[in-house]
Amino acid sequence: MGYNYWNGTEAAHRRVMMKAAGYSDEDIRQKPHIGIPNSYMAGSPGTAHLRQVTEAVKEGIWAAGGIPVEFGIPATCGNVANGADEMKYEQVGRDIVAMSIEFVSRIHNFDAICCVASCDLIIAGCYLAACRLDIPALVVTGGSMQAGNYCGKTVVEADLDAARFSGASEAELFEMEESVCPSFGACPSMGTANTMQMLGEVLNLVMPGTSTIPASDNARLRAARTAGKYMVQLARSGKTPKDLITKDVLENAIMFDMAVAGSTNAVLHILAYAYELGIKLTLADFEKYAKEIYCINAVIPSGPYTVVDFHYAGGVKQVMKQLAGKIHTDAPTIYGDTTWGELLDSVKSAPNKVIHSLEDPVAKEPGLKIMRGNISPAGAIVRPTAVYEEVKYIKGAAKVYECDQDAYRAIMAGEIVAGDILVIRYEGCKGAPGMKELMLSIDALIGLGLDKKVGLITDARFSGFNYGAIVGHVSPEAYDGGVIALIENGDEIEMDIAGGTVNLLVSDEILAERRKSWVRPPLKQQKGVLNIYAQNCRPAEEGGAMQPWALDADYGYHHE
């Protein structure tokens, strides 16, 4: 505890600032100071309700004898940037959020932090900050949005894009816009936001059973108040994420992500957390569990249900109960002195239409798979449960594009036909810079019905909403001279989702000749945060975060 920071004559200048802000002398001197990074932002349903959630957290902290110190952190809505070049800022946002929390928390010497966040890279950044700061930490999530109802049918935001590409009129789109997102909360499919909210429970950063409480359910506020109370207890215990996030915990997170077919972005985040903690974790760990864990979660896009349905079907704890024979049950929980096995003893096994058992999976394949081959020797990612049978194996001619917008224009011009394999490159961590989500091209493929007819490979990312024969995170990326940079129009590519391979069917001799004439392009951003990111980020297979510091061969600065 950092009480000495606020006591004694040398701390008078600190105390006077807190007093001027309205805190009493007794509180300042005697109670744990708990920072509350609040990602409230008025322009997104995933964040616009977080002031009320944060107030509940603060009430709990006060009630348990702590001082809450709220401050704002950056927040965005990825859907706002969908289709725009600005989407490449999203991945960088994870690091900006983590750095902003680190900056404020170090200056104010908080004893602990309790972040409030919901969406995509924002909540991922909160977890990264928690791993970095080495002080007790919790995250309170904003929960999931209710599904919409349009013409008597359940709809989610992705349905609006499908309608847009299928020729809906402006009047029809307007009517659908009024219906598709009816409440606060994260979009209710297995996008990055809900994937990361759920993973927070497994990573011992979110209170068990609370991550997916719908934003419209007042249990969300009660859970936030309870989390605030527990935050004070955790602060006094001194247990930090380095104590609670072991390698076993990270492996549990991998298994959980396989089981729920989470967003492919989760791979980047889990790897970044491991690196931050000094725990050796690689794509090989994901490959290992992809062979053992099939998808048991029937939430969109792997099934017809929403995250709201998932919550009321038992949520994260029910998934972990179904995985009890696979996960490390002796791994610690957020409570420190309780293991996951002990926590799950009180959970009744109740497989259902949303959350299946391992013996009766939604699909007999993992929710995520690592793809290898000469195009991706360092790895690439696919979500097999979101790939149609028609394109789980495809061999076709490459159509090569240097950015998302060029590919989109080709799709809309009718230049992409059945059997083609799109290659979109220079959109990776350094090439974009920022590792862009290719929602523009992918939404067009889905909207025009090409998702059952073509393949796509890229060094960029995808949204958790996306589906089809799309292979991303190809590494080495084009900017680093990966084979993806050498592909030419008309080259034959073979994608075998079941076999886990993606190969360019061009001889090594031809590729060697092409490499002689390849020239690395200049960075697309010569100044600003994207330039800084490109010069300091790790490659995608190591998480793609701004972590330029080196670890020893065994990631040895922290125990496993």
Side-chain angles (χ1 to χ4, degrees), residues 120-156:
D120 292 22
L121 284 307
I122 309 308
I123 193 166
C126 290
Y127 296 164
L128 185 60
C131 292
R132 181 171 299 168
L133 284 170
D134 197 26
I135 59 176
L138 285 180
V139 177
V140 174
T141 67
S144 179
M145 177 191 290
Q146 296 286 342
N149 187 291
Y150 176 65
C151 296
K153 295 182 179 180
T154 297
V155 289
V156 295

Side-chain angles (χ1 to χ4, degrees), residues 488-539:
E488 295 183 357
N489 282 311
D491 285 350
E492 194 170 39
I493 293 175
E494 181 183 53
M495 293 173 57
D496 182 359
I497 305 300
T501 60
V502 54
N503 283 296
L504 176 64
L505 304 182
V506 172
S507 71
D508 291 342
E509 291 76 16
I510 291 175
L511 289 178
E513 284 300 311
R514 290 181 185 178
R515 185 169 296 283
K516 290 178 183 178
S517 60
W518 177 78
V519 177
R520 188 193 314 276
L523 279 173
K524 293 177 185 176
Q525 299 289 332
Q526 294 302 308
K527 63 179 181 178
V529 70
L530 294 181
N531 180 277
I532 294 169
Y533 174 83
Q535 296 191 57
N536 289 279
C537 66
R538 307 207 70 76

Side-chain angles (χ1 to χ4, degrees), residues 205-525:
L205 289 168
V206 175
M207 299 293 286
T210 70
S211 66
T212 54
I213 299 172
S216 58
D217 188 330
N218 283 336
R220 163 64 48 209
L221 298 180
R222 297 195 297 275
R225 197 169 290 111
T226 299
K229 292 178 181 177
Y230 184 69
M231 184 72 259
V232 177
Q233 181 179 336
L234 188 61
R236 288 178 170 145
S237 77
K239 289 187 173 69
T240 75
K242 286 188 178 179
D243 300 310
L244 300 176
I245 306 178
T246 63
K247 184 165 186 179
D248 283 352
V249 168
L250 290 168
E251 289 182 349
N252 283 352
I254 293 173
M255 286 185 265
F256 178 89
D257 203 41
M258 295 291 175
V260 299
S263 167
T264 50
N265 289 321
V267 178
L268 295 166
H269 303 322
I270 293 170
L271 289 168
Y273 305 150
Y275 198 86
E276 194 70 45
L277 293 166
I279 297 173
K280 189 170 185 179
L281 200 76
T282 70
L283 288 181
D285 295 289
F286 289 81
E287 288 175 299
K288 172 186 175 182
Y289 291 113
K291 297 174 183 177
E292 301 178 18
I293 308 292
Y294 290 157
C295 174
I296 62 173
N297 178 31
V299 169
I300 301 166
S302 299
Y305 301 103
T306 70
V307 175
V308 175
D309 299 320
F310 174 89
H311 176 74
Y312 295 124
V316 172
K317 288 197 289 185
Q318 186 58 229
V319 172
M320 293 294 276
K321 185 70 173 182
Q322 299 310 314
L323 295 176
K326 294 285 187 180
I327 62 171
H328 302 289
T329 52
D330 57 349
T333 65
I334 200 169
Y335 303 115
D337 55 357
T338 303
T339 66
W340 268 99
E342 292 167 335
L343 179 65
L344 294 174
D345 283 343
S346 62
V347 178
K348 180 181 178 181
S349 178
N352 51 72
K353 63 184 182 181
V354 183
I355 301 170
H356 292 216
S357 66
L358 280 177
E359 295 70 34
D360 179 33
V362 171
K364 290 189 175 180
E365 54 193 348
L368 290 170
K369 180 176 278 190
I370 307 304
M371 300 285 282
R372 301 283 189 178
N374 66 351
I375 294 177
S376 58
I381 310 292
V382 73
R383 184 192 259 177
T385 57
V387 181
Y388 293 105
E389 288 295 332
E390 296 94 317
V391 284
K392 285 193 172 173
Y393 176 88
I394 182 171
K395 184 189 289 185
K399 297 282 183 71
V400 184
Y401 303 95
E402 307 299 295
C403 67
D404 191 20
Q405 288 84 350
D406 287 350
Y408 170 77
R409 284 188 283 269
I411 295 166
M412 298 307 294
E415 297 174 13
I416 306 303
V417 299
D420 284 344
I421 297 181
L422 284 81
V423 177
I424 304 177
R425 62 194 182 193
Y426 295 104
E427 293 281 27
C429 294
K430 299 175 184 176
M435 204 176 185
K436 189 177 180 183
E437 281 189 352
L438 301 187
M439 292 187 72
L440 188 63
S441 298
I442 305 301
D443 286 350
L445 291 176
I446 294 169
L448 296 175
L450 290 169
D451 51 323
K452 295 183 180 180
K453 301 175 183 178
V454 305
L456 184 151
I457 64 171
T458 182
D459 50 12
R461 303 182 294 125
F462 304 122
S463 166
F465 301 155
N466 292 150
Y467 51 91
I470 53 178
V471 174
H473 304 204
V474 166
S475 190
E477 64 171 286
Y479 186 85
D480 283 336
V483 170
I484 191 172
L486 308 179
I487 300 173
E488 295 183 357
N489 282 311
D491 285 350
E492 194 170 39
I493 293 175
E494 181 183 53
M495 293 173 57
D496 182 359
I497 305 300
T501 60
V502 54
N503 283 296
L504 176 64
L505 304 182
V506 172
S507 71
D508 291 342
E509 291 76 16
I510 291 175
L511 289 178
E513 284 300 311
R514 290 181 185 178
R515 185 169 296 283
K516 290 178 183 178
S517 60
W518 177 78
V519 177
R520 188 193 314 276
L523 279 173
K524 293 177 185 176
Q525 299 289 332

Side-chain angles (χ1 to χ4, degrees), residues 35-79:
I36 314 293
N38 180 3
S39 61
Y40 164 81
M41 199 270 284
S44 168
T47 56
H49 63 308
L50 294 185
R51 279 178 171 168
Q52 188 177 22
V53 175
T54 300
E55 285 303 314
V57 172
K58 289 158 64 178
E59 289 168 6
I61 290 171
W62 280 119
I67 290 183
V69 183
E70 179 185 353
F71 61 98
I73 56 175
T76 59
C77 180
N79 266 327

